[in-house]
């Protein structure tokens, strides 16, 4: 199973004890996968159609728990071996359909259209708890999240620009920064920041998935931190080795072309120590001098030796 499937399986089991939250979650599922249709005799019926089994199961659970509706289901298998197919949940009883449409504010008490099918009525998602339930339903019907081992990306793909805007607004109410992008016929609400994906999972109640996501994220961050530290130390070592090699080359040039006799006592001692201890760090070289000095003092003397070697090369026409 994919990481997204694991999240949806967990969310399927999250059923709020509050009726208004169940209505908000079903309203999201209905907005994304539901239809109201008519028979030839004019009677209406409700259909939830999806290729995601968890969406069909959650729709069934909410319809039974919240509305006590009489439900029928059909399954059409596309590939029995792969376990793929399409699932339909039907509500045929007229009174059940009317009660559901009233609850999600699509029709009013006089059975006149009140809301619309493109988004969820604002009265359904007034409470913070209902907003959480709404996002849970949206993710189940239209969401996906990349395995954190590979990348950090969560998205909710819907057909309605109005619904995408509503989803983004509700996500933002939890201090999560979501953006919208157009992808072919879809409006995609997406989150790319790992910590904000964690916040979204927490908001929807996917706490097991959240812990799994966090564990992977922590391991990756520790691994990256160690790699950065190793790379930094490797770069520092390379820099130190290259600097020491240049210093020794300059000192040998002075030794071969001028000798150490013309150097001051401090520079001569520094030159001899560097040749004798080519791999020693500056601090250690400073402590070996007859009159110990610090790292900056050693660096100053070695720069002086390099300047002398540079001047000698320029005088000899060596570049």
């Amino acid at each position: 199973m994919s990481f997204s499937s694991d999240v949806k399986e967990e969310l399927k089991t999250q059923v709020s004890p509050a009726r208004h939250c169940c209505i908000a979650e079903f309203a999201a599922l209905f907005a994304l996968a539901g239809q109201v249709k008519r028979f030839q005799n004019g009677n209406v019926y409700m259909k939830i159609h999806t290729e995601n089994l968890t969406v069909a199961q959650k729709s069934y659970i909410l319809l039974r728990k919240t509305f006590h509706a009489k439900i029928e289901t059909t399954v059409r298998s596309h590939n029995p071996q792969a376990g793929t197919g399409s699932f339909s949940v039907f509500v045929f009883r007229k009174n059940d359909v009317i009660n559901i449409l009233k609850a999600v504010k699509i029709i009013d008490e006089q059975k006149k259209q009140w809301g619309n099918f493109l988004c969820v009525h604002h009265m359904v998602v007034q409470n913070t708890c209902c907003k959480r339930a709404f996002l849970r339903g949206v993710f189940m019907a239209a969401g996906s999240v990349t395995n954190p081992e590979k990348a950090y990306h969560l998205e909710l793909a819907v057909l309605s620009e109005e619904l995408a805007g509503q989803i983004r607004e509700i996500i933002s109410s939890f201090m999560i920064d979501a953006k919208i992008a157009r992808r072919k016929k879809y409006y995609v609400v997406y989150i790319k920041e790992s910590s904000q994906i964690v916040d979204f999972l927490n908001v929807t109640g996917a706490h097991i998935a959240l812990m799994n996501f966090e564990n992977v994220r922590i391991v990756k961050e520790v691994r990256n931190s160690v790699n950065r530290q190793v790379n930094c130390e490797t770069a520092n070592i390379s820099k130190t080795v290259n600097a020491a090699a240049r210093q020794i080359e300059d000192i040998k040039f002075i030794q071969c072309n001028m000798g150490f006799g013309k150097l001051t006592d401090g520079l001569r001692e520094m030159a001899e120590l560097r040749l004798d201890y080519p791999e020693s760090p500056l601090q250690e070289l400073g402590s070996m001098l007859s009159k110990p000095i610090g790292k900056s003092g050693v660096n100053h003397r070695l720069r002086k030796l390099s300047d002398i070697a540079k001047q000698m090369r320029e005088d000899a026409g060596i570049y």
Side-chain angles (χ1 to χ4, degrees), residues 4-12 52 54 139-140 142-144:
S4 287
S5 298
D6 290 341
V7 175
K8 291 179 182 183
E9 278 294 329
E10 182 179 359
L11 294 181
K12 182 183 73 177
N52 189 320
T54 55
F139 184 84
M140 289 191 67
S144 65

Side-chain angles (χ1 to χ4, degrees), residues 13-33:
T13 65
Q14 301 291 325
V15 181
S16 174
R19 186 174 188 270
H20 50 82
C21 292
C22 291
I23 290 172
E25 185 170 357
F26 178 78
L29 294 174
F30 181 74
L32 291 161

Side-chain angles (χ1 to χ4, degrees), residues 189-203:
V189 184
Y190 66 92
I191 306 169
K192 296 188 75 69
E193 177 65 40
S194 60
S195 61
Q196 301 218 323
I197 293 174
V198 168
D199 290 341
F200 182 90
L201 294 175
N202 183 50
V203 164

